[in-house]
Amino acid sequence: MHAWPASEVPALPGKGRDLQIHDTATQGTITLDPGPVARIYVCGITPYDATHIGHAATYNAFDLVQRVWLDTKRQVHYVQNVTDVDDPLLERAIRDGHDWTELAERETALFREDMTALRMLPPQHYIGAVEAIPGIVPLVERLRDTGAAYELDGDVYFSVESDARFGAVSNLDAEAMRLLSAERGGDPDRPGKKNPLDPMLWMAAREGEPSWDGGTLGRGRPGWHIECVAIALDHLGMGFDVQGGGSDLAFPHHEMGASHAQVLTGEFPFAQAYVHAGIVALNGEKMSKSKGNLVFVSKLRRDGVDPAAIRLTLLAHHYRADWEWKDDVLDTAAQRLGRWRAAVSRPDGPSADALVEDIREALANDLDAPAALAAVDRWAALQQSEGGTDEGAPGVVSRAVDALLGVAL
Ligand code: 5CA
Ligand code: ZN
C-alpha cells in the first residue's frame, strides 16, 4: 500500500536530547537508546469509518516521537499497518450493503488525506493485512508445528501458556485480562480452548466471508495480533524501539503480539518500549466507531477548520491523559494559532534560543506537548508586549514549531 506525502521537517540549529518515555511494560519512564536508525511500529486503523479525533490524538503522539528522534539527527524507520480485513469491517460492509474492499479503500484514502492535512509524518512501509497474508501463514504454521498453537474446529489458536513472559506487557490480573479479551475481539467463552485467553491466529473460511490460501492451514484469514507481528518482524525485526497505539491496545493486542513474536523467534523483547496514548471521549464515553459518538477530522476540515488548529488541540493534551472533546477546545486552539501566527509574522522579536531548548526539553520529557505549547505561548506574549530586535527569531520559532510540533505557522 502507499502511504501519504511527507511534509518537510525544517532543520534546527543544535540537537535535541534523547527521548525519555513511559513504558507500559515496566510501568515507568525509560530513556530510549535507538541506533542511528530508530525503529517504530504504530498500529494503524481498521478502515470501516473515517478518522476521528481519538485516532488523530494517538497518531499525533507517535508523530512527536519521530520528530524528537529526527531532532537528535537520527533517521527513523516507521512502519504502520492497515487492518483491511477483520470482523468489524466485514460487519459494517454487510450492514451498509457495500463491498468490503471498496469500504476499506475509501476509508484508507480518507485517512491518508487527514494525516497529510495534520502534517503527520508518513510510514516508510504502510502495509495492509491482506497483502501481509503470505508472510503470516508460515508464522502460524511454525507456531503450530512447534506446539505453541493448536487447532480447534479448523481454526488455529495461540497458546498463551507457551510464553513464560505472557502478561508482562500489560501487567493485568487474570480477571481483568478475561474481561478485556471478551470486550476487544477475543472469545474467552468458546468451548474447547486450552486457555480462555488464547487468541486466534488463523480463522478457517466462513460461508460468505472472504478467505485466502493458508497453505497447510487451509483457506481462511488471519487473526488480528499475528497481522501486526508479521508486518513488524518483516520490516523492523525484533527489539525495535517503540510499539505504539492507544491504551486500548495494551491488552490484548500488544500483549499477544509480544508473546507471538517472542515465542516465534526465541528472542526478547519484541519492542524496547510499549507506548500507549490516552483515550479521547465524547459525551462521557470513549470516542469509537462502534458507539458512533465521533468527531471526524475530515468533517472538521470540510467545515473550514484549519488543520493546524486541530493539531494544536491534540497537542494541548498530554498524550497519556484521557480527555474529552468539547466545542471550546477547538476555539482555544484557533485563538492560540492566531497569536502565534501574529507573533512570527513580525520582522524581528525576542531571542528564540531558549525557546527552542524549552520545546526540546518538554518533548524529550515523555512528550510533554502542553509544556512545549506553554513555552511558545510565553515567547509569543513577550513578542506582543515588548517585541525584540533579533531578526532571525520569528523564523527560528516558525521552523521549530513546524519541525518539533508539526504545526505550520
Ligand atoms: N487496526 C487496529 C490496530 S492494529 C485498530 O485498533 N484500529 S482502530 O481503527 O480501532 O484504532 C486505530 C488506533 O486509534 C489505535 O491505536 C487505537 O488505540 C486508537 N484509538 C481508537 N479510538 C481512540 C480514542 N477514542 N482515543 C484515542 N485513541 C483511539
Ligand atoms: Zn496492531
Side-chain angles (χ1 to χ4, degrees):
M1 265 194 195
H2 67 283
W4 55 92
S7 52
E8 206 194 317
V9 181
L12 298 176
K15 195 173 158 197
R17 83 160 162 84
D18 281 340
L19 178 62
Q20 287 179 293
I21 197 138
H22 187 272
D23 167 38
T24 302
T26 49
Q27 297 174 288
T29 303
I30 60 173
T31 305
L32 289 170
D33 183 23
V37 183
R39 295 174 293 164
I40 177 165
Y41 185 96
V42 181
C43 283
I45 53 163
T46 305
Y48 67 89
D49 216 336
T51 325
H52 59 65
I53 288 292
H55 299 133
T58 289
Y59 295 111
N60 178 57
F62 299 101
D63 189 72
L64 295 180
V65 169
Q66 295 174 63
R67 289 173 185 278
V68 171
W69 280 338
L70 291 172
D71 188 43
T72 62
K73 311 301 174 204
R74 288 183 174 89
Q75 290 180 342
V76 176
H77 191 171
Y78 174 24
V79 180
Q80 188 180 131
N81 69 305
V82 186
T83 308
D84 58 359
V85 62
D86 202 3
D87 293 341
L89 175 75
L90 298 174
E91 283 159 17
R92 177 64 63 93
I94 290 169
R95 190 197 79 177
D96 296 350
H98 290 136
D99 177 84
W100 66 273
T101 53
E102 277 169 27
L103 173 63
E105 270 169 35
R106 192 179 65 229
E107 298 305 345
T108 306
L110 191 57
F111 177 72
R112 289 189 188 98
E113 281 176 29
D114 290 334
M115 291 296 105
T116 309
L118 294 173
R119 294 175 89 76
M120 303 285 182
L121 296 169
Q124 281 78 40
H125 296 279
Y126 192 44
I127 312 287
V130 172
E131 62 185 328
I133 290 174
I136 294 171
V137 169
L139 299 187
V140 178
E141 288 176 322
R142 187 150 31 118
L143 286 169
R144 181 201 54 194
D145 295 346
T146 55
Y150 59 94
E151 264 185 50
L152 183 59
D153 299 333
D155 300 327
V156 182
Y157 280 91
F158 176 73
S159 174
V160 294
E161 268 132 45
S162 65
D163 177 22
R165 288 192 161 96
F166 176 72
V169 171
S170 55
N171 299 293
L172 298 170
D173 62 38
E175 183 53 19
M177 287 200 265
R178 199 187 157 97
L179 286 172
L180 288 175
S181 160
E183 217 175 275
R184 298 176 180 166
D187 53 2
D189 298 325
R190 179 169 175 177
K193 290 172 66 174
K194 288 189 183 164
N195 183 312
L197 299 175
D198 291 346
M200 213 185 267
L201 291 165
W202 186 257
M203 182 194 270
R206 307 288 202 258
E207 182 73 35
E209 287 191 359
S211 63
W212 289 264
D213 178 14
T216 61
L217 307 171
R219 286 194 74 79
R221 60 180 162 100
W224 174 30
H225 320 304
I226 194 70
E227 165 195 343
C228 285
V229 170
I231 298 170
L233 290 182
D234 190 18
H235 295 282
L236 297 174
M238 286 298 281
F240 60 90
D241 298 289
V242 166
Q243 158 77 294
S247 59
D248 57 338
L249 296 192
F251 192 89
H253 189 49
H254 291 165
E255 186 74 64
M256 297 299 178
S259 270
H260 292 356
Q262 284 154 195
V263 171
L264 272 165
T265 63
E267 291 171 36
F268 175 85
F270 181 46
Q272 305 293 341
Y274 297 87
V275 180
H276 293 110
I279 293 299
V280 183
L282 180 69
N283 305 328
E285 276 200 276
K286 177 191 171 190
M287 211 180 264
S288 79
K289 288 177 281 212
S290 48
K291 291 203 198 86
N293 56 337
L294 303 168
V295 176
F296 293 120
V297 172
S298 47
K299 168 83 167 57
L300 294 174
R301 293 196 291 119
R302 273 202 309 279
D303 291 348
V305 176
D306 187 332
I310 303 175
R311 180 108 194 204
L312 271 186
T313 306
L314 308 175
L315 291 162
H317 299 88
H318 192 277
Y319 84 97
R320 285 211 284 135
D322 296 330
W323 56 282
E324 170 122 16
W325 179 269
K326 301 233 172 70
D327 288 341
D328 63 340
V329 291
L330 201 49
D331 295 338
T332 308
Q335 284 160 16
R336 173 178 262 146
L337 187 62
R339 286 196 306 274
W340 289 11
R341 283 192 170 144
V344 298
S345 68
R346 307 221 317 231
D348 49 22
S351 164
D353 296 350
L355 170 59
V356 173
E357 293 315 313
D358 287 349
I359 300 174
R360 281 179 163 148
E361 188 56 35
L363 293 182
N365 176 20
D366 199 22
L367 304 176
D368 192 348
L373 299 199
V376 183
D377 283 345
R378 284 194 298 276
W379 182 87
L382 196 60
Q383 169 74 309
Q384 160 113 49
S385 62
E386 292 174 27
T389 56
D390 187 334
E391 288 182 2
V396 171
V397 173
S398 202
R399 283 197 294 283
V401 166
D402 191 358
L404 298 171
L405 300 170
V407 175
L409 294 179

